[in-house]
Amino acid sequence: MAGPALGAVNGALVFAVVDHGLHQEPGFTGVLSAIQGGGTVLGGMIAGPLLRRAGEARLAAAGGLLYAASVALRALPSTPVVAAAGLLSGLGLPWVLVAALTAVQRIAPRDLLATVSATANTVLFVPTAVGMALGAGLLALTSYRPVLWAAAFAGALAAAYARRRPRRAVTTPDRDTSAAC
C-alpha cells in the first residue's frame, strides 16, 4: 500500500520542514505531532459512519487524497498551513487503514482470516521502513520540497487507482461478498 510508505517518506522529512521551511526549533515537531494526533482521533471517530455510507474503496480513496493533499501542503513555508496539513494527515490515514482492514475482514474466508489479516498487516506496515529510508536518502540528494511534491503526486495516483479499480464480486464458501471492492 502506498499510504504507509508515503507516510514514512513524509515522516523522514518532518525535521527539514520544521527547520528549513518553517524556521522553527526541532521541538516544534511535537506541536505538529499533537495536531496530527488530534486529526487521527477525529478521523478514527468518523471512519465508521463514513465507511457505512461510502464503502471501503471510496473511504480509502478519500483518505488517500486527504493525505496526499497534506503532504503537498507541508512543502509550503507557512506554519498555519503546515499545521492544517497535520490535521488533514491525521484525518486521512485512519480512513485508509480502516477501509483496508475492514475489507480484509469482510472478504476473507473465516478459516483463513488470521493468515489473511497477518499478510494484510505486513503489506500495510512493512513499507513504512522502506519509506523512511527512501525519504532520508532523497533528502540527502535534494531539498525536501520536491520530495514532498513527488510523494503527494504518488499518493494522489494511488488514491485515484483505489477509486477507479473495477469492482469484482468475491464469493467465499462461508459468506457472500458480492459487494466487494
Side-chain angles (χ1 to χ4, degrees), residues 17-179:
V17 169
V18 167
D19 185 29
H20 299 293
L22 303 179
H23 307 290
Q24 298 278 350
E25 295 295 319
F28 190 69
T29 58
V31 173
L32 295 178
S33 293
I35 292 169
Q36 183 173 341
T40 300
V41 170
L42 180 60
M45 288 173 49
I46 63 177
L50 289 174
L51 179 65
R52 282 188 290 281
R53 283 197 183 115
E56 291 101 348
R58 286 188 187 125
L59 184 63
L65 286 174
L66 273 180
Y67 188 73
S70 78
V71 173
L73 289 172
R74 284 192 172 123
L76 300 176
S78 166
T79 300
V81 170
V82 171
L87 186 67
L88 288 177
S89 172
L91 277 171
L93 280 178
W95 295 355
V96 173
L97 296 173
V98 165
L101 295 173
T102 298
V104 165
Q105 290 187 9
R106 191 174 55 77
I107 294 170
R110 293 191 199 289
D111 59 334
L112 295 176
L113 185 57
T115 303
V116 174
S117 293
T119 302
N121 277 301
T122 300
V123 169
L124 285 170
F125 296 111
V126 165
T128 302
V130 174
M132 287 292 260
L134 179 64
L138 290 172
L139 188 56
L141 300 174
T142 186
S143 169
Y144 71 95
R145 285 189 178 107
V147 178
L148 287 173
W149 291 327
F153 181 71
L157 285 178
Y161 176 74
R163 180 64 188 105
R164 293 187 177 265
R165 282 188 60 205
R167 294 172 186 253
R168 290 176 281 190
V170 178
T171 305
T172 60
D174 59 338
R175 61 183 128 169
D176 177 23
T177 56
S178 58

